Every structure is written in structure tokens, then in C-alpha cells.
Amino acid sequence: QVQLVESGGGSVQAGGSLRLSCAASENVYNQHCMAYFRQAPGKEREVVASISRDGRTRYADSVNGRFNLSRDNPKNTVSLQMSGLKPEDTAMYYCAAGPLIFDGNSWFCSSSGVQYPSWGQGTQVTVFS
């Protein structure tokens, strides 16, 4: 049963923009956190950005100010707008859904992939110089 379907990857010249979208089945979208991760060849998977159901966002330092993650709750979708793309942004991008995590002080969306039980199939982003 497909639960997260991604779209929007492609190839773009450095400095350009791409928009990724992730459509989720309702039972998956009801997970409080939605996030994008990426993995480049030979590198570990890393979080790109996360967003809670009430719209709180967190970004990796490497993309902060260039990427914007948003969610449309009535449509069960999240979108990652990527601007000012760099060759180092080249990777497979994955959409994920998971619960909020409590660290003893507050609830937040984790930056660890192990906290996300649902994953999309991935979409390739290639940035050439």
C-alpha cells in the first residue's frame, strides 16, 4: 500500500530552483511531523527540513534561507521549495512522516530518520555547475 508519493525532482543548473511535493494517504499524513531527507552517493542520509502539523519548521544549516518547507493540511501534501541550488544539493530526496518527539522539555520533529516510520520512494535532484 503506497502511502507517500513524491514528485518534482529533476536536473537544474546551479542557482536554479526546484519544487518537490509529497502526497500522503490520510493515515500517514496524520502523523504530526513531515520531513524531507536526502542522501547523496557515498554519504549518510541527512535531514533537510521538517514541519509539524501546526507549521513549525526546522531546517538543516546547509539549506536554511534557501529552502522552504510548507504543508497543505486539507490536501495532505507537503512541498519543498528549493532555491539557490548548489551542486552539493545533488542527492536522492525522500519524504517521510512520523510522530512528534518529546525530549523532556518540549515536543519537536526529529532530525533523525529512525523516528520516521513512513517513507516515500525518493526523487532525484541533480544540480550541475
Side-chain angles (χ1 to χ4, degrees):
Q1 181 179 356
V2 177
Q3 297 182 308
L4 289 168
V5 179
E6 303 177 54
S7 60
S11 296
V12 65
Q13 191 169 19
S17 299
L18 282 174
R19 185 179 182 88
L20 307 183
S21 293
C22 176
S25 57
E26 185 171 357
N27 62 318
V28 171
Y29 194 79
N30 284 337
Q31 295 278 358
H32 203 99
C33 298
M34 298 290 290
Y36 270 95
F37 289 79
R38 67 186 181 186
Q39 187 166 21
K43 294 188 177 181
E44 293 187 357
R45 182 178 61 191
E46 61 177 359
V47 67
V48 176
S50 65
I51 186 167
S52 63
R53 191 164 182 84
D54 58 359
R56 287 174 288 150
T57 53
R58 300 175 73 188
Y59 296 93
D61 290 344
S62 59
V63 306
N64 198 22
R66 298 188 296 122
F67 290 11
N68 183 68
L69 183 61
S70 60
R71 66 191 290 170
D72 185 336
N73 289 337
K75 296 183 179 179
N76 293 353
T77 61
V78 293
S79 295
L80 182 68
Q81 179 67 46
M82 305 183 293
S83 302
L85 283 161
K86 305 175 181 179
E88 51 263 43
D89 294 318
T90 296
M92 185 71 79
Y93 283 68
Y94 297 91
C95 176
L100 283 170
I101 302 299
F102 185 65
D103 67 357
N105 291 310
S106 61
W107 293 91
F108 64 98
C109 293
S110 176
S111 61
S112 172
V114 297
Q115 301 294 346
Y116 292 82
S118 300
W119 291 82
Q121 80 282 5
T123 186
Q124 178 68 36
V125 171
T126 302
V127 184
F128 54 92
S129 56

